[in-house]
């Protein structure tokens, strides 16, 4: 029985984990295909809305198409029946579905990617305000926990000033340039902004912990670079990244 996993080609994370799912299948029944290779025949087997947010597993012999957590359970079941049985418990599966949706709706924020070429089936996830807000809260908590763990008493006021200053600048820009989509674009931006801060702060913190304080600015360089890439892919003015760079040099770097 042949099964086909269909993944979003514009999602680097999707490429990696589907490759792992296929390579971990010892039965040889699992294969995968990117969204750019889909045919009308395969698209007819899919629910377009579910396919955006839950990775499909198509039964090439005509059976039922699985989505999301059920796809994962099938893949795990090929390796370990006991693990698949455990994950199938009703309460645990409900938790996994929420976690899966949280990651799926935010997957292009977690790992940004350039817009893909046109495909017969667009797998760009829809915007979900609830999951985006939850993501922002999680990222904020991680950054706050990182600062607390390493004890950055001197940097904390500067970091708060940096965040508030940048968000004010971007908010005013969006209110003027994109008033109709202000809420969604602002939440998207805050998600990308949070990831930029988290990645840069994490690298700087690790360098500080292992005793290389002179290399700490490398983390800030990563932060600025990530901000530029993510802002560019959102289609926002590059001057917003220039403003962010100036704030970093004024408030954070000695």
């Amino acid at each position: 029985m042949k099964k086909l996993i269909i993944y979003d080609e514009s999602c680097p994370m999707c490429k990696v984990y589907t490759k792992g799912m296929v390579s971990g299948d010892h039965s040889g029944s699992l294969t995968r295909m990117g969204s750019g290779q889909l045919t009308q025949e395969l698209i007819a087997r899919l629910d377009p809305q579910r396919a955006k947010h839950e990775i499909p597993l198509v039964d090439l012999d005509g059976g039922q198409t699985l989505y999301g957590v059920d796809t994962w359970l099938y893949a795990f079941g090929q390796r370990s029946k006991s693990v698949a049985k455990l994950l199938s418990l009703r309460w645990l599966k409900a938790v996994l579905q929420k976690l899966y949706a949280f990651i799926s709706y935010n997957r292009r924020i977690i790992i940004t990617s350039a817009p893909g070429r046109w495909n017969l089936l667009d797998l760009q996830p829809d915007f979900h305000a609830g999951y985006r807000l939850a993501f922002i809260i999680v990222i904020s908590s991680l950054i706050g926990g990182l600062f607390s763990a390493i004890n950055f008493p001197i940097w904390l006021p500067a970091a708060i000033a940096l965040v508030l200053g940048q968000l004010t600048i971007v908010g005013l820009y969006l209110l003027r340039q994109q008033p109709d989509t202000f809420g969604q674009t602002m939440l998207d931006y805050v998600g990308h902004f949070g990831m930029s801060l988290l990645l840069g702060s994490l690298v700087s913190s690790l360098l500080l912990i292992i005793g290389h304080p002179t290399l700490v600015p490398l983390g800030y360089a990563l932060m600025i670079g990530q901000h530029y890439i993510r802002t560019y892919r959102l289609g926002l003015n590059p001057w917003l990244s220039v403003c962010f760079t100036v704030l970093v040099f004024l408030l954070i770097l000695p």
Side-chain angles (χ1 to χ4, degrees):
M1 182 182 294
K2 292 292 184 180
K3 302 279 189 177
L4 176 66
I5 300 172
I6 297 172
Y7 66 92
D8 179 6
E9 281 188 349
S10 298
C11 170
M13 184 166 48
C14 302
K15 292 181 181 179
V16 172
Y17 79 70
T18 54
K19 185 176 182 180
M21 290 167 73
V22 171
S23 62
D25 171 41
H26 304 302
S27 69
S29 64
L30 278 180
T31 57
R32 68 178 189 138
M33 176 182 290
S35 51
Q37 302 170 280
L38 288 176
T39 63
Q40 291 287 3
E41 181 182 359
L42 282 172
I43 292 174
R45 301 279 306 277
L46 301 175
D47 178 331
Q49 191 62 25
R50 291 193 70 181
K52 287 184 176 185
H53 311 114
E54 302 175 81
I55 189 165
L57 180 67
V58 179
D59 186 338
L60 297 178
D61 294 324
Q64 181 185 10
T65 298
L66 303 178
Y67 293 91
V69 172
D70 288 323
T71 297
W72 278 89
L73 290 177
Y74 179 88
F76 274 116
Q78 297 302 103
R79 302 189 64 177
S80 172
K81 298 295 184 183
S82 58
V83 172
K85 186 176 181 180
L86 173 65
L87 296 178
S88 297
L89 293 174
R90 181 176 297 180
W91 67 270
L92 185 54
K93 187 175 180 180
V95 172
L96 290 174
Q97 286 172 333
K98 287 295 183 182
L99 179 61
Y100 186 97
F102 172 81
I103 295 173
S104 180
Y105 278 100
N106 292 298
R107 65 180 187 265
R108 294 195 183 184
I109 302 286
I110 297 171
I111 302 179
T112 185
S113 60
R117 62 184 178 85
W118 180 86
N119 293 321
L120 288 175
L121 181 64
D122 179 22
L123 295 184
Q124 166 78 25
D126 293 330
F127 173 78
H128 191 292
Y131 284 118
R132 186 72 82 248
L133 283 169
F135 179 77
I136 291 169
I137 291 170
V138 169
I139 290 296
S140 301
S141 300
L142 289 174
I143 295 173
L146 181 63
F147 273 58
S148 298
I150 306 181
N151 192 19
F152 282 159
I154 298 176
W155 295 4
L156 188 57
I160 293 173
L162 170 69
V163 171
L164 293 178
Q166 183 65 17
L167 292 182
T168 299
I169 292 170
V170 174
L172 292 173
Y173 166 81
L174 291 177
L175 281 172
R176 180 178 178 84
Q177 299 295 327
Q178 302 181 26
D180 295 337
T181 59
F182 171 79
Q184 177 176 335
T185 307
M186 189 67 187
L187 286 177
D188 282 344
Y189 172 79
V190 174
H192 283 295
F193 182 51
M195 282 301 301
S196 301
L197 293 176
L198 179 63
L199 293 172
S201 299
L202 183 60
V203 170
S204 293
S205 302
L206 289 174
L207 290 171
L208 197 60
I209 289 172
I210 63 178
H212 294 287
T214 57
L215 297 179
V216 166
L218 287 177
Y220 297 122
L222 173 63
M223 184 189 300
I224 292 169
Q226 279 289 305
H227 185 275
Y228 175 82
I229 293 170
R230 290 167 179 271
T231 303
Y232 172 77
R233 288 177 176 171
L234 273 177
L236 300 181
N237 195 308
W239 279 103
L240 296 175
S241 289
V242 174
C243 293
F244 177 66
T245 303
V246 170
L247 287 174
V248 170
F249 274 89
L250 288 177
L251 299 172
I252 301 293
L253 290 174

